[in-house]
Amino acid sequence: MKMETHKVAKLHAILWGIFSLGGMIAAFLLPVMIYMTAIAYPFGLWPFSRENPACPSCLTLVRDPSLLVTGHLLGALFVFVTIAGSLFHGIFRFQSALTEVGLLKYRRALEAVGYFIIFVGIIVLAYYLIAWYLNGTIT
Amino acid sequence: MSQEIATIRVTRYRPEKDSQPFFQEYKVPYRHDMVVLDALNYIKAELDGSLTYRWSCRMGVCGSCGANIDGEPKLTCASFLHEFKDRTITVEPMSHFPVIKDLVVDMEDFMEKLVKIKPWIIRKKDSLVEEGEYRQSSKELDRYQQFSSCINCMLCYAACPIYGLNEKFLGPAATALAYRYIEDSRDQGKDIRFPIVHEIEGVWECTLVGECSVVCPKGVDPMLAIQRTKILGATNAIKSILMPRGGR
Ligand code: SF4
Ligand code: FES
């Protein structure tokens, strides 16, 4: 009798897991980030202002959205998870869309380009966040 | 009073005679309670005995009468003529399957996929009849019941663009059926079925278009079965890395 052999796509399963987690993260956290950086920051609604202990009635306005990450590990993590998750989800989904429109035969090439963009994007993002977190500035 | 007429355009294709399919138009006396299958039966009985199509139960149970009706995969026995504007209807064979003749498509690929996922209860060791039935609670039944309503009509395959691009894709109905057994508390065949559904051309080809669930005439949600099977695959893959001995 012929033995059945099946090759479980383990790596693809893991990448899909990250993709779906990325989608959930994007759905929950991206609106929060957009609110903070595109609405709260320009309109001065969210603590980009600090209290001056010497003068409790004075507020020092610090107009710099990098305050979100500077010196705050949780802030840096929040930005990293939100952007990296959304990036991964977006590129993976884009590849699916290309497959749907019939570019299946270019899949290997598309996958290579997709993962290249994801990983370069994530490395650049990590570099900027670490620089911000440690120095408060980017050199 | 003059008799109302419906116009039925049907794909004709006789591979031994025709180089490619063409449309033939028939005028059929219309009644309000008529379905597309009635119109086809009228054509065959009264106008053109050579028209070829599949049907059996005429009540949405056997799953044999699927066709593309005005471009959408539907059961001809469950599609009333009065649902279509001007009573002019185009009936074509289901997309993505090779045509044998007129509306009859080759089901071979689908049949192979159905058998591949082993649509029966697998037990590690069969119990003796005297030991009684394999019992199941209603909660356990709820976990898979909708997926057992499939009538193998293949409309979901005709609606799936990914199957149209890659016929190796296991596809909606076969995955829904595999998931039906994976979720059945009496079944012990996960180790056998997981490698089949978790191949790259098992569930991973699916890009979540979702048309399979839209066209299903029995309310089965193959897209849900595929998504849940993917979650099982991703969980197992991560477990096998974190717990190489314990995880699968
Ligand atoms: S899942 Fe629905 S559409 Fe697909 S074969 Fe079964 S009954 Fe037909
Ligand atoms: S004839 Fe049986 S489902 Fe239509």
Side-chain angles (χ1 to χ4, degrees):
Chain A
M1 205 173 96
K2 205 175 126 210
M3 269 291 286
E4 286 180 54
T5 49
H6 302 282
K7 198 170 174 298
V8 174
K10 214 189 253 187
L11 177 65
H12 194 93
I14 293 170
L15 292 174
W16 180 87
I18 302 172
F19 153 76
S20 48
L21 198 69
M24 207 168 76
I25 288 166
F28 280 110
L29 299 187
L30 208 54
V32 178
M33 188 148 133
I34 291 171
Y35 169 76
M36 288 201 288
T37 54
I39 298 171
Y41 162 64
F43 293 103
L45 303 173
W46 182 76
F48 292 115
S49 57
R50 284 191 195 129
E51 248 179 67
N52 182 348
C55 167
S57 58
C58 322
L59 278 179
T60 315
L61 265 182
V62 184
R63 292 246 164 227
D64 181 1
S66 72
L67 267 186
L68 192 59
V69 275
T70 312
H72 303 271
L73 188 57
L74 270 182
L77 262 179
F78 165 73
V79 173
F80 179 79
V81 166
T82 310
I83 297 181
S86 310
L87 185 67
F88 197 93
H89 185 84
I91 302 277
F92 201 99
R93 190 65 238 176
F94 184 60
Q95 281 175 207
S96 300
L98 292 176
T99 308
E100 282 158 19
V101 297
L103 296 173
L104 201 72
K105 59 181 170 181
Y106 305 115
R107 183 157 74 190
R108 288 255 174 268
L110 290 171
E111 271 176 4
V113 173
Y115 290 123
F116 179 76
I117 295 173
I118 294 168
F119 289 114
V120 169
I122 289 175
I123 289 166
V124 171
L125 173 69
Y127 166 78
Y128 276 91
L129 287 177
I130 292 167
W132 252 326
Y133 173 66
L134 296 178
N135 312 324
T137 53
I138 298 162
T139 49
Chain B
M1 205 180 89
S2 67
Q3 167 80 60
E4 281 188 83
I5 296 291
T7 307
I8 314 289
R9 289 174 77 227
V10 190
T11 304
R12 302 302 313 269
Y13 180 52
R14 291 149 299 183
E16 69 286 357
K17 280 195 194 160
D18 310 320
S19 58
Q20 54 182 334
F22 61 95
F23 283 115
Q24 197 158 354
E25 204 171 280
Y26 301 95
K27 301 282 181 198
V28 172
Y30 166 84
R31 283 191 334 264
H32 188 75
D33 61 356
M34 233 173 153
V35 291
V36 173
L37 179 60
D38 294 330
L40 295 176
N41 283 343
Y42 179 88
I43 296 167
K44 185 149 181 98
E46 306 292 336
L47 307 176
D48 184 347
S50 70
L51 182 65
T52 309
Y53 50 97
R54 281 197 184 102
W55 69 289
S56 178
C57 69
R58 204 184 166 274
M59 54 197 290
V61 172
C62 70
S64 58
C65 68
N68 273 14
I69 305 178
D70 276 2
E72 263 185 64
K74 289 183 176 193
L75 296 178
T76 58
C77 73
S79 307
F80 283 91
L81 292 190
H82 64 72
E83 289 167 12
F84 299 88
K85 208 171 163 256
D86 303 332
R87 285 166 207 148
T88 300
I89 297 150
T90 303
V91 188
E92 296 165 273
M94 282 187 289
S95 314
H96 309 149
F97 294 99
V99 176
I100 296 175
K101 189 180 176 193
D102 296 341
L103 300 177
V104 176
V105 295
D106 187 348
M107 300 167 67
E108 195 62 28
D109 181 57
F110 177 63
M111 288 301 160
E112 274 171 21
K113 283 172 177 153
L114 273 192
V115 175
K116 184 175 167 182
I117 56 99
K118 306 185 193 307
W120 54 81
I121 287 185
I122 299 172
R123 300 286 298 181
K124 288 189 175 140
K125 190 172 162 285
D126 282 326
S127 322
L128 296 171
V129 176
E130 300 81 72
E131 288 172 34
E133 327 65 2
Y134 301 129
R135 294 196 165 232
Q136 190 163 60
S137 70
S138 55
K139 244 191 182 158
E140 287 167 332
L141 175 67
D142 283 348
R143 294 180 72 90
Y144 70 84
Q145 196 173 24
Q146 69 135 315
F147 303 108
S148 64
S149 306
C150 174
I151 55 170
N152 301 335
C153 64
M154 312 192 302
L155 297 188
C156 49
Y157 284 78
C160 173
I162 302 303
Y163 180 66
L165 291 164
N166 181 6
E167 63 166 27
K168 287 190 188 152
F169 173 38
L170 184 59
T175 310
L177 202 57
Y179 185 73
R180 175 245 173 277
Y181 286 96
I182 287 169
E183 277 299 335
D184 191 323
S185 57
R186 299 164 299 177
D187 186 81
Q188 298 172 333
K190 285 190 181 63
D191 291 348
I192 298 168
R193 280 194 200 92
F194 275 177
I196 301 167
V197 291
H198 291 146
E199 280 184 311
I200 196 82
E201 268 136 357
V203 285
W204 305 113
E205 283 288 303
C206 171
T207 60
L208 204 62
V209 175
E211 275 301 299
C212 51
S213 301
V214 173
V215 300
C216 178
K218 304 312 281 184
V220 179
D221 188 349
M223 185 179 72
L224 178 68
I226 293 177
Q227 283 306 97
R228 288 192 181 159
T229 309
K230 282 182 179 178
I231 293 171
L232 290 172
T235 320
N236 284 347
I238 292 165
K239 262 199 220 159
S240 71
I241 290 172
L242 299 180
M243 301 180 280
R245 282 156 199 264
R248 201 194 332 258

